[in-house]
Amino acid sequence: MEMVLSGADAAPAAAFALEHVSKRYGSVVALDDISLSMAKGSTTALIGSSGSGKSTVLRLLLGLDWPDQGVIKAEGRALERPHVLALRQRVGYVIQEGGLFPHLTALGNLALQPRYLGWSAARIHERAEALAELTHLPPGVLERYPAELSGGQRQRVALMRGLMLNPDALLLDEPLGALDPIVRHELQDQLKLIFDQLGKTVIVVTHDLAEAAWFAERLILLREGKVMQDGRIDDLRDRPADPFVRRFVASQRRLPEPAA
Ligand code: ADP
Ligand code: MG
């Protein structure tokens, strides 16, 4: 028997898409006619030097800022201002240093959004405990204020906050940028496991190529608001699309070779 697929079945809507998106801040061109699309359940790393437009991409996908030109799509639908509140409940956002409110305990921070949505205290507790287990946060830490947490614990709480509502997608903006190397390495391992385990659409911003390659098969290298290369680490390393890609890859510091 012949199977008939409708167009919609044959091509499921991407979780996110940017179509010919440009964004300026005064005379600065943050994004210059960018088109990208991220499949549902995929993990993508956005890399590039400081100022290349990485954070701007995330902010536009979250409706925290709006393009001057082009269209942002979430699940195939063009993003408009009235959708933004609903979108923020389906997309978790984690930023460097965590962005936790200092006057609230860890649990108080986790509870903000769910309480606004009418969750009971019991349900909030249950979800927080489950996420503490997932992120390896020791018991008791939820009662502390952000200033009483280590950098790694703060980042774990920020990740938990991003996951509280069990969103379909998680956008992380240099989530490990402020951590010392050992804690960073440990959290890289745990985050990767969490991404694989949860199967959500993930976009992670970093300026560290090794970290990007650890998290994601697909790396998108930005420069001055343009996509320089979109591919796997082997593509960037062995088939650089531009001299800048070669320089970016070569600039990653390696340990010196042992003396002969
Ligand atoms: P990245 O995250 O890659 O470091 P951003 O996306 O934050 O880069 O910024 C891209 C460019 O846009 C930078 O030159 C930055 O200074 C500028 N920019 C970003 N946000 C603002 C803003 N709110 N006001 C003015 N300039 C901004
Ligand atoms: Mg940034």
Side-chain angles (χ1 to χ4, degrees):
M1 221 170 61
E2 205 179 333
M3 287 274 286
V4 180
L5 291 178
S6 76
D9 286 342
F16 298 106
L18 296 92
E19 295 178 356
H20 295 290
V21 166
S22 296
K23 176 71 183 171
R24 296 173 153 269
Y25 294 101
S27 61
V28 175
V29 179
L31 294 181
D32 187 1
D33 192 20
I34 274 202
S35 294
L36 288 170
S37 137
M38 284 84 175
K40 273 185 204 172
S42 63
T43 299
T44 306
L46 280 183
I47 50 176
S49 314
S50 179
S52 56
K54 306 180 297 293
S55 298
T56 303
V57 169
L58 296 196
R59 284 200 311 272
L60 295 181
L61 292 178
L62 283 153
L64 293 169
D65 217 335
W66 296 87
D68 301 323
Q69 270 159 40
V71 180
I72 305 289
K73 285 184 176 171
E75 311 218 322
R77 191 164 71 148
L79 187 59
E80 290 167 25
R81 284 171 205 270
H83 306 153
V84 164
L85 270 183
L87 179 75
R88 301 238 178 97
Q89 292 168 21
R90 289 190 290 107
V91 182
Y93 185 38
V94 181
I95 59 172
Q96 190 173 348
E97 318 266 9
L100 300 174
F101 290 108
H103 61 289
L104 295 175
T105 64
L107 185 62
N109 272 281
L110 298 180
L112 274 179
Q113 241 187 331
R115 198 182 289 139
Y116 171 80
L117 293 173
W119 289 28
S120 69
R123 185 173 171 203
I124 292 170
H125 258 271
E126 202 176 304
R127 180 73 182 149
E129 303 262 302
L131 289 175
E133 198 167 313
L134 179 77
T135 59
H136 299 271
L137 196 73
V141 168
L142 291 180
E143 309 308 322
R144 295 197 209 147
Y145 289 88
E148 301 166 342
L149 303 177
S150 70
Q153 289 170 341
R154 258 200 300 277
Q155 214 49 47
R156 285 180 167 85
V157 173
L159 175 66
M160 290 168 69
R161 186 173 60 172
L163 290 169
M164 266 313 264
L165 302 181
N166 195 20
D168 301 325
L170 200 52
L171 309 189
L172 304 108
D173 198 343
E174 306 207 25
L176 309 180
L179 302 175
D180 72 62
I182 291 178
V183 175
R184 183 170 183 150
H185 191 266
E186 186 182 314
L187 262 168
Q188 283 171 343
D189 280 342
Q190 292 172 1
L191 266 180
K192 169 99 169 104
L193 277 174
I194 290 171
F195 296 164
D196 292 346
Q197 211 174 323
L198 298 181
K200 297 184 188 302
T201 308
V202 174
I203 306 177
V204 55
V205 164
T206 172
H207 53 245
D208 185 298
L209 189 61
E211 182 170 287
W214 173 246
F215 284 138
E217 274 186 20
R218 182 183 180 194
L219 313 184
I220 298 174
L221 176 58
L222 298 183
R223 185 195 191 193
E224 294 174 0
K226 290 194 193 64
V227 175
M228 287 286 110
Q229 193 154 357
D230 181 345
R232 303 164 67 102
I233 184 67
D234 304 11
D235 298 321
L236 273 69
R237 191 182 45 213
D238 304 334
R239 291 169 290 280
D242 181 280
F244 176 77
V245 180
R246 192 187 303 279
R247 261 196 290 145
F248 191 89
V249 172
S251 72
Q252 305 286 316
R253 188 78 65 199
R254 269 177 235 105
L255 291 176
E257 298 296 326

